[in-house]
Amino acid sequence: MGKPRGAKVRRGASPRAPADPAASERLRRVIEAVGHPVRSATGDDYLRELVVHLSRELGVRYALIGELRPDKKERVFTIAVAESGKSVPPLDYELAGTPCESVFGGATCVYHTGVRELFPRDKLLVTIGADSYVGAPLRGADGAVLGLLTVLDDKALSDTSLVTAVLELYAVRAGAELERRHHESSLRRLQRLVLAAERVGRSGSFEWDLATGKVQWSPGMYDLYGVDATTVKEMTSELAMSFVNREDVAAIEAGVRAALEGGPPVDVQYRILRPDRNERIVSGYGEIFSGITGAPERMVGVVLDQTDRSRTETALRESEQRYRSLVEHATIGIYRSTIEGKFLFVNRALVAMLGYESEAELLSADLARDIYLNPDDRARLLREYAEVRVFGGIDVQWRRKDGAAITVRLSGASRRGPLGLEGFDVIAEDVTQRRVMEGRLVASQRMEAVGRLAGGIAHDLNNVLTAVRGYADLLVADMPADDERRSDAKEIKAATDRAASLTHQLLAFSRQQVLAPRVLDVNATVVQLDQMLKRIISEDITRVMTLEAMGRVRADPTQLEQVIMNLVVNARDAMPRGGRLEIRTYDAATLTEPIAGVSGTEGPFVVLEVKDSGVGMDGATLARIFEPFFTTKPMGAGTGLGLATAYGIVKQSGGYIFASSEPGKGSRFTVFLPRVDGTLEWPVQMPALARPLTGNESVLVVEDDANVRRVLTESLKRLGYRILEAQDGTEALALAGADPGQIHLLLTDVIMPGIAGPDLALQLKAVRPDVRVLLISGYAGDALLKGGPLELGSHFLAKPFTTTELASAVRDALDA
């Protein structure tokens, strides 16, 4: 910016007195007049009083002191302003286009007149109507311009030399005061920052005079220690140490001694007890400063509140300990691995699961090479779950250290870093036994479904067989002894007997046959069958019996014999070239098979074991051996009902049957029957007595199958009985209510539409208490197996039956 017309600019000039002696004297008087009132003032007071007296003594309208702020250098901010000898509020204005630009550039500017025309952009000059202007820069100790001292008047200056000399003279003092003002402002700002930092950081600072013991505390220290500064006349090292927990004093003293002896600065954590009885944990840091002689003079330091941090760290340590304890003592395997398959961490449960000796040994193993049964499975899982954050329910095949395969369910999360996928954190649960039991449950459910189907088929088929067999018996009874057709009728009866045998086996498998349980000795049952077993086993099979059981069981003797026979025959067929057959009995407190999750495993049990050295079975065959009609024998060599029948009888008797086998290593069947206390009830030693099978009593026959009902009524009429017949329970109750005579026997089917046979028996007994009951069924189902009328003295006859068996059962019920 060039020098305006009519301006005098002095750059870097020193204040000098006018050459005219009269002017010099006037200058002296002005300086004395101005300097006398403000000589004792400092800071802003000095600056305000200075402009007031300059305005008054120099006879100018305005005098002001301004500065530029670092954040807004485009504007002038006044510190002190005087108008006509009086202090007025400060103001600020734009710097550009004003005579002050040159002043801030470092020059003293003098415009004795016409300043408004020279600077038309200066709104302040226009507002106050200024005509003259004199401004001197205010410099700091380093020569930098900090502000300006300016006078303005609404008329031309008469003595610019005097005004300029006065301003330049007082600019030196005003510059020093402005610099001190800046320093004080910076110091106050720094103090505010320190105090704010202490509050935010919960810290305080101190200075300890080692000679006098006096201590200077910052406000943060008083806040930290909970001490009201106004109540402390003088802080000393003794008073400061009185707040420290006694147990921590020795550590502080040791740190101070070491620092005084030239050691490292004090760095110690200790506890303080505030006046409000609140204990805080703090960290103290102090450094020794020496004097001119080199002797320690003072310690300066800071104290930080570590209470929350310490508590957080303690809580974190406890949390880590709990987490590690939880992981270490977990009953399922937990591990961390890299993406390459290297173990980084394993817990003890995983070590035990995989059969390793120690965590260190397992950490040296490789997942793909040593753990996965098929390494390709791990590669496949990496492809499928590389982008999945959390995964679960993945079943894989692992290999133990001893080579045994196990099924493991994996759940976990992928671990990612700056470069992407780094590895996995995984929970591994051995579900081998669970999968075995789930398979057995599915098989059991399938067997139950097949059993219900088999029972339903047996029911309908038994009705048909009962009718066929009954009519065949009637035909034979009506034929002369020399009738050639008698042989045909006998063949019909033989065929129905063979069909009835199949239906009985189906009922045994489905556990729907009616048993006649007795307290018996398993050893005695095996011994009684010994002669029969000899006949069915070939001479090249060695038979070994070890009968060690002492307990008794409650079972149907005939059905138990059927179980033993079926197991022995199965063993015989598995040894076509001979071998060894072992039959063993023993007592057991619990199930000895490695089976988990089976209800009722608590004993005691009596165990029957049949073991052979035959060809054995693979896993697929072993899983189906108890299914009806499943057989490994050639077509026509068996029905596939032997083991299914044994399974049904054992389960209906409240027991368990298990099988184990391997190809080429034979098979073992183990039967667990609940052990009972009681007197032996079988064999029953009662001689058979001949008796008549006819009678003249009244019999109410109730059967929903018309063919069976006709056979029953015709057979009983021929034996002399008076017959009432009904097709269902409702009709039977109506007949019984209308018949005036005595009804001696109710002969009813168990399963019927409407009122079932057992319910009909109960209702009829309510009105005719003396009536006897004979239940018949080809499929008793839940209606009979769960108790009911049998407990009230009812009798039961299973379909199909012969007319002789019918006559005998009727007489048994009437004569009981």
Side-chain angles (χ1 to χ4, degrees):
M1 176 175 188
K3 173 185 174 184
R5 179 175 53 83
K8 296 181 179 179
V9 180
R10 298 169 57 192
R11 299 185 180 275
S14 300
R16 58 186 179 181
D20 184 4
S24 297
E25 178 61 21
R26 184 184 175 197
L27 174 62
R28 184 189 64 77
R29 289 196 304 272
V30 171
I31 292 173
E32 178 67 21
V34 173
H36 177 70
V38 298
R39 189 172 292 122
S40 61
T42 59
D44 287 356
D45 291 340
Y46 171 79
L47 298 177
R48 283 191 293 270
E49 291 182 10
L50 175 62
V51 296
V52 168
H53 290 285
L54 283 176
S55 171
R56 184 182 301 155
E57 297 301 328
L58 292 177
V60 295
R61 186 174 178 185
Y62 287 98
L64 60 87
I65 295 175
E67 66 174 346
L68 292 180
R69 294 179 181 174
D71 55 336
K72 293 184 178 180
K73 294 184 177 181
E74 71 281 359
R75 297 186 68 80
V76 179
F77 295 88
T78 59
I79 300 171
V81 180
E83 181 181 2
S84 302
K86 295 182 180 179
S87 180
V88 295
L91 50 87
D92 61 277
Y93 56 92
E94 295 288 339
L95 179 62
T98 68
C100 296
E101 273 190 300
S102 297
V103 180
F104 277 110
T108 300
C109 295
V110 180
Y111 302 94
H112 70 281
T113 186
V115 69
R116 243 183 5 262
E117 290 75 17
L118 294 175
F119 297 93
R121 293 170 53 193
D122 191 336
K123 296 180 180 180
L124 178 63
L125 297 179
V126 175
T127 301
I128 64 178
D131 184 51
S132 56
Y133 173 98
V134 179
L138 304 182
R139 301 178 184 273
D142 58 357
V145 177
L146 303 178
L148 54 80
L149 175 60
T150 302
V151 295
L152 303 96
D153 202 2
D154 52 5
K155 60 184 181 300
L157 293 175
S158 59
D159 191 347
T160 56
S161 297
L162 173 66
V163 174
T164 301
V166 171
L167 291 187
E168 289 183 342
L169 180 64
Y170 281 100
V172 177
R173 170 71 188 277
E177 290 295 339
L178 188 59
E179 184 175 42
R180 184 171 69 177
R181 184 177 185 274
H182 285 175
H183 289 330
E184 290 177 351
S185 176
S186 297
L187 180 59
R188 285 193 298 272
R189 184 167 59 253
L190 180 60
Q191 289 174 338
R192 287 195 300 270
L193 289 175
V194 170
L195 292 177
E198 287 185 349
R199 285 195 301 271
V200 173
R202 296 182 181 179
S203 62
S205 59
F206 66 89
E207 183 175 351
W208 175 21
D209 188 324
L210 299 176
T212 64
K214 294 181 180 180
V215 180
Q216 294 293 329
W217 269 9
S218 71
M221 283 288 288
Y222 285 99
D223 291 341
L224 180 58
Y225 276 67
V227 177
D228 185 356
T230 60
T231 63
V232 180
K233 294 182 180 179
E234 184 178 68
M235 180 58 67
T236 63
S237 58
E238 290 79 8
L239 178 58
M241 290 296 290
S242 69
F243 296 101
V244 178
N245 188 300
R246 293 181 180 180
E247 297 177 358
D248 300 334
V249 171
I252 298 175
E253 293 177 345
V256 172
R257 281 196 302 270
L260 290 172
E261 293 171 359
V266 178
D267 184 353
V268 61
Q269 188 172 92
Y270 57 95
R271 292 162 292 174
I272 60 173
L273 186 63
R274 294 157 48 106
D276 59 6
R277 312 307 295 174
N278 181 18
E279 186 178 76
R280 310 295 293 177
I281 301 172
V282 300
S283 293
Y285 303 89
E287 188 171 351
I288 299 294
F289 289 88
S290 301
I292 298 176
T293 62
E297 189 174 83
R298 68 188 189 279
M299 175 183 283
V300 177
V302 295
V303 178
L304 305 177
D305 188 347
Q306 303 281 17
T307 307
D308 293 342
R309 177 181 176 183
S310 178
R311 290 172 180 171
T312 301
E313 290 176 348
T314 301
L316 179 60
R317 284 194 301 271
E318 293 176 352
S319 176
E320 290 175 347
Q321 291 172 355
R322 287 194 300 270
Y323 168 76
R324 178 166 292 276
S325 176
L326 177 64
V327 171
E328 286 296 328
H329 295 92
T331 57
I332 56 178
I334 301 174
Y335 71 88
R336 168 172 284 189
S337 69
T338 65
I339 189 68
E340 295 79 17
K342 174 69 176 177
F343 283 119
L344 299 177
F345 166 81
V346 295
N347 71 339
R348 282 177 283 186
L350 188 68
V351 175
M353 179 194 303
L354 294 173
Y356 283 78
E357 298 296 328
S358 64
E359 295 177 16
E361 183 184 16
L362 182 55
L363 285 172
S364 65
D366 181 81
L367 268 166
R369 182 189 67 240
D370 304 317
I371 306 302
Y372 275 82
L373 196 63
N374 183 359
D376 293 339
D377 287 347
R378 183 175 185 275
R380 176 179 56 81
L381 292 177
L382 284 177
R383 290 194 302 270
E384 293 178 358
Y385 295 97
E387 302 301 325
V388 178
R389 179 68 182 90
V390 179
F391 55 88
I394 304 173
D395 283 6
V396 296
Q397 295 297 311
W398 276 8
R399 178 173 52 240
R400 287 170 47 89
K401 182 183 177 183
D402 59 10
I406 58 175
T407 303
V408 178
R409 167 164 283 193
L410 302 181
S411 301
S414 58
R415 195 175 65 259
R416 299 183 178 275
L419 300 180
L421 182 63
E422 294 182 346
F424 299 94
D425 296 326
V426 183
I427 295 174
E429 182 183 4
D430 185 351
V431 295
T432 307
Q433 289 297 327
R434 184 190 302 175
R435 293 295 173 264
V436 171
M437 292 311 302
E438 287 174 353
R440 293 187 175 182
L441 176 60
V442 171
S444 175
Q445 291 172 338
R446 185 171 64 250
M447 300 272 278
E448 290 292 335
V450 173
R452 287 192 294 271
L453 175 62
I457 292 174
H459 171 261
D460 293 338
L461 185 56
N462 279 335
N463 277 338
V464 175
L465 292 177
T466 299
V468 173
R469 180 60 185 269
Y471 284 121
D473 284 340
L474 292 177
L475 285 174
V476 172
D478 291 339
M479 291 179 183
D482 57 350
D483 195 323
E484 295 179 355
R485 294 175 298 173
R486 291 177 65 90
S487 60
D488 296 335
K490 288 180 180 180
E491 286 300 323
I492 294 175
K493 292 168 59 177
T496 58
D497 289 342
R498 290 192 297 271
S501 176
L502 290 176
T503 59
H504 282 309
Q505 291 183 74
L506 287 175
L507 287 174
F509 164 74
S510 62
R511 287 170 276 167
Q512 300 296 346
Q513 63 178 338
V514 178
L515 301 180
R518 300 286 187 272
V519 177
L520 55 84
D521 185 342
V522 177
N523 294 344
T525 304
V526 175
V527 171
Q528 287 185 354
L529 285 175
D530 187 45
Q531 292 302 318
M532 184 180 297
L533 296 179
K534 289 180 181 180
R535 291 194 297 271
I536 66 174
I537 295 176
S538 59
E539 294 180 355
D540 57 357
I541 295 177
T542 301
R543 187 179 77 264
V544 179
M545 288 189 179
T546 306
L547 307 179
E548 300 173 340
M550 302 298 294
R552 299 169 179 174
V553 300
R554 183 173 176 82
D556 187 315
T558 304
Q559 298 299 325
L560 182 58
E561 290 176 352
Q562 183 71 49
V563 170
I564 298 172
M565 287 294 297
N566 288 358
L567 294 179
V568 171
V569 168
N570 185 76
R572 178 201 65 187
D573 295 341
M575 298 181 288
R577 295 183 178 86
R580 179 184 176 88
L581 171 66
E582 299 180 32
I583 301 176
R584 180 189 174 201
T585 65
Y586 59 92
D587 297 317
T590 59
L591 290 182
T592 55
E593 288 290 308
I595 305 299
V598 178
S599 61
T601 55
E602 293 299 324
F605 294 99
V606 174
V607 184
L608 168 67
E609 187 176 277
V610 178
K611 183 179 180 182
D612 67 68
S613 60
V615 295
M617 297 174 282
D618 58 21
T621 302
L622 191 63
R624 300 187 60 191
I625 55 172
F626 293 122
E627 293 182 8
F629 304 113
F630 175 78
T631 179
T632 59
K633 299 173 184 177
M635 182 70 68
T639 63
L641 287 172
L643 292 179
T645 301
Y647 173 87
I649 293 172
V650 171
K651 297 296 288 183
Q652 191 173 351
S653 300
Y656 302 91
I657 181 169
F658 302 116
S660 59
S661 181
E662 291 185 40
K665 295 184 180 181
S667 303
R668 182 180 65 179
F669 288 84
T670 309
V671 176
F672 291 83
L673 294 173
R675 180 173 174 173
V676 298
D677 296 324
T679 305
L680 285 174
E681 299 175 346
W682 187 87
V684 180
Q685 301 299 327
M686 292 183 62
L689 299 177
R691 57 173 179 167
L693 298 180
T694 59
N696 56 6
E697 291 91 345
S698 297
V699 179
L700 174 57
V701 176
V702 187
E703 168 63 62
D704 60 302
D705 188 293
N707 289 326
V708 176
R709 189 169 66 251
R710 284 196 296 269
V711 168
L712 292 174
T713 56
E714 184 62 29
S715 299
L716 293 178
K717 285 179 180 178
R718 293 188 181 192
L719 293 173
Y721 295 103
R722 184 174 75 92
I723 303 301
L724 299 173
E725 60 176 300
Q727 63 180 354
D728 55 34
T730 302
E731 186 178 352
L733 292 174
L735 285 174
D739 190 271
Q742 181 179 1
I743 297 177
H744 298 88
L745 177 67
L746 169 65
L747 193 159
T748 179
D749 192 12
V750 173
I751 306 299
M752 294 188 300
I755 303 175
D759 294 332
L760 172 61
L762 290 174
Q763 294 183 41
L764 185 59
K765 274 184 170 289
V767 295
R768 292 179 179 261
D770 296 333
V771 69
R772 306 298 177 89
V773 178
L774 174 59
L775 299 172
I776 60 174
S777 180
Y779 165 67
D782 292 341
L784 189 59
L785 293 176
K786 294 183 179 179
L790 284 183
E791 299 177 357
L792 301 177
S794 300
H795 293 254
F796 179 79
L797 177 62
K799 298 176 182 178
F801 44 79
T802 66
T803 54
T804 302
E805 291 170 339
L806 173 63
S808 179
V810 170
R811 282 279 25 122
D812 287 341
L814 290 171
D815 298 338

